[in-house]
């Protein structure tokens, strides 16, 4: 049966402008990082993606290395575009990134013009698209001149292969410099995609979020649930079938140590007092900042997606609630900072 979008798909979603641009994103965007790779079959993928679009999620976020294996998320989404989403292409924002390892040799990762533009061409082929709406530099490359990496992003826009460009996980100084370079090239830095959650506040600590607000760069937070820690599942000792099952994966042991889980328990009490799930509290907290355009979620099941979307029912906090959340988490922060190697994305 051919997918047909719900006529009421725009009735309940909140849309926010990305910085000073004309682009609006849904307050909740869907990422295909770890749950839409080679192990996901088409029917279960379409169940989630179709429901998301029916609820107003117009933004689908990918990267060249998303899977596993790398490239498989783009391939799967390309199949969805070809079979079901094609009539709605102009209603969608599709993003991808380049920065992490994709093929052997010296041109297979980081930020050289050679790698960035070759990766974009490969991504477009996997997606079956002529262009993406947003193309990101996935991580700052300390060994390549920033002018070269930003020049590659500018070329992507000027060649029509990307409508907007952005950066991901760039610290404040590099964010400001990337913005300056692109502006001189006549291209806007539309979005910054950092990790950010109530337990991971590095963009506040190093003032990246303030810089983006000052410069008119929109922000979209990845891992707003701290790799699932803020779902509360690790407090119940659940590891099987989660990211915590793989010691080499993106969830570190330090992310689920007792002091962190104690903070999650305290947050759970605050969420209950607001009539929200832990997940809904965490997403609403990220979206409380005016600089934050969207929260980027990743889900394995349709029920998880529905729970996430429930955050939209209560996005407001009183000053007392904000103070209580700060007190609850002060001893449980993950103390993450961007580094040249970047996060495992």
């Amino acid at each position: 049966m051919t997918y047909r979008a719900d006529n009421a798909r725009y009735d309940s979603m909140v849309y926010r402008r990305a910085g000073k641009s004309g682009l609006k994103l849904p307050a909740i965007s869907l990422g295909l990082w770890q749950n839409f790779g080679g192990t996901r079959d088409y029917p279960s993928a379409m169940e989630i993606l179709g429901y998301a679009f029916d609820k107003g999620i117009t933004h689908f976020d990918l990267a060249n290395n998303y899977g596993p294996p790398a490239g498989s998320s783009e391939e799967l989404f390309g199949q969805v575009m070809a079979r079901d989403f094609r009539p709605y292409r102009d209603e969608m924002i599709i993003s991808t990134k380049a920065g992490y390892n994709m093929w052997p040799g010296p041109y297979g990762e980081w930020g050289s013009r050679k790698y960035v533009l070759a990766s974009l061409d490969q991504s477009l082929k996997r997606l079956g698209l002529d262009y993406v709406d947003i193309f990101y530099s996935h991580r700052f490359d300390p060994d390549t001149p920033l002018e070269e990496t930003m020049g590659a992003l500018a070329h992507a826009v000027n060649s029509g292969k990307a409508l907007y460009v952005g950066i991901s996980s760039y610290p404040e100084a590099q964010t400001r410099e990337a913005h300056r370079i692109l502006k001189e090239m006549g291209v806007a830095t539309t979005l910054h995609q950092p990790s950010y959650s109530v337990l991971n506040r590095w963009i506040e600590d190093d003032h990246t979020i303030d810089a983006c607000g000052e410069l008119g760069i929109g922000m979209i937070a990845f891992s707003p649930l701290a790799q699932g820690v803020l779902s509360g599942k690790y407090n119940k000792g659940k590891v099987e079938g989660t990211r915590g099952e793989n010691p080499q994966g993106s969830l570190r042991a330090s992310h689920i140590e007792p002091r962190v889980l104690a903070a999650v328990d305290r947050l759970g009490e605050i969420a209950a007092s607001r009539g929200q799930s832990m997940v809904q509290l965490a997403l609403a907290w990220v979206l409380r900042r005016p600089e934050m355009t969207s929260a980027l979620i990743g889900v394995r099941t349709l029920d998880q997606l529905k729970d996430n979307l429930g955050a939209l029912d209560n996005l407001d906090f009183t000053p007392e609630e904000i103070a209580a959340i700060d007190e609850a988490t002060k001893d449980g922060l993950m103390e993450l900072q961007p580094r040249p190697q970047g996060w495992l994305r």
Side-chain angles (χ1 to χ4, degrees), residues 198 201 267 270 274 281 284-286 288-289 315-329:
V198 68
R201 305 188 185 194
L267 287 172
I270 298 172
R274 286 169 50 84
L281 169 73
W285 185 90
V286 165
R288 83 199 189 286
R289 293 283 303 235
L315 294 175
D316 297 324
F317 292 89
T318 66
E320 292 76 19
E321 286 174 327
I322 292 295
I325 290 169
D326 290 342
E327 179 65 23
T329 58

Side-chain angles (χ1 to χ4, degrees), residues 18 41 51 57 69 112 114 131 134 139 152 162 200-201 205 208 216 220 232 238 258 261 264 284 340:
D41 62 40
Y51 187 90
I57 294 181
S112 71
K114 167 74 173 176
Y131 70 94
I134 308 165
R139 58 174 171 172
N200 169 21
R201 305 188 185 194
D205 295 337
T208 296
I220 174 168
K238 179 175 174 56
L261 298 184
V264 173

Side-chain angles (χ1 to χ4, degrees), residues 200-214:
N200 169 21
R201 305 188 185 194
W202 75 264
I203 59 171
E204 295 179 2
D205 295 337
D206 93 331
H207 304 293
T208 296
I209 192 169
D210 300 317
C212 287
E214 174 191 331

Side-chain angles (χ1 to χ4, degrees), residues 73-226:
S73 289
E74 289 180 329
E75 290 173 352
L76 178 57
F77 194 79
Q79 294 173 28
V80 172
M81 283 300 307
R83 291 173 56 177
D84 287 296
F85 274 179
R86 184 67 62 181
Y88 309 101
R89 173 64 182 98
D90 291 337
E91 297 183 43
M92 294 179 175
I93 301 298
I94 300 167
S95 60
T96 195
K97 313 176 193 72
Y100 285 87
N101 185 266
M102 279 298 291
W103 60 86
Y107 322 119
E109 65 178 323
W110 292 107
S112 71
R113 181 182 180 90
K114 167 74 173 176
Y115 164 73
V116 169
L117 295 179
S119 178
L120 176 56
D121 285 342
Q122 291 180 19
S123 289
L124 291 174
K125 185 176 180 179
R126 286 189 289 267
L127 290 165
L129 299 175
D130 296 324
Y131 70 94
V132 289
D133 298 277
I134 308 165
F135 182 48
Y136 293 92
S137 168
H138 207 165
R139 58 174 171 172
F140 171 67
D141 181 352
D143 298 320
T144 297
L146 198 52
E147 288 82 0
E148 180 175 340
T149 305
M150 295 304 105
L153 294 187
H155 178 82
V157 172
N158 293 332
S159 64
K161 295 180 180 180
L163 302 186
Y164 302 92
V165 293
I167 55 179
S168 179
S169 298
Y170 275 48
E172 182 199 9
Q174 287 75 23
T175 295
R176 290 184 179 277
E177 185 67 359
H179 174 272
R180 182 191 66 78
I181 294 167
L182 280 172
K183 185 176 182 181
E184 289 181 356
M185 295 177 177
V187 175
T189 309
T190 302
L191 282 163
H192 187 311
Q193 186 178 130
S195 67
Y196 182 52
S197 76
V198 68
L199 298 177
N200 169 21
R201 305 188 185 194
W202 75 264
I203 59 171
E204 295 179 2
D205 295 337
D206 93 331
H207 304 293
T208 296
I209 192 169
D210 300 317
C212 287
E214 174 191 331
L215 298 171
I217 302 171
M219 302 196 82
I220 174 168
F222 77 81
S223 293
L225 303 182

Side-chain angles (χ1 to χ4, degrees), residues 272-305:
S273 72
R274 286 169 50 84
Q276 289 182 309
S277 69
M278 174 85 73
V279 163
Q280 292 164 0
L281 169 73
L283 293 173
W285 185 90
V286 165
L287 291 167
R288 83 199 189 286
R289 293 283 303 235
E291 301 92 342
M292 198 58 61
T293 307
S294 184
L296 184 59
I297 63 169
V299 299
R300 287 185 297 104
T301 68
L302 186 59
D303 284 343
Q304 288 177 347
L305 175 57

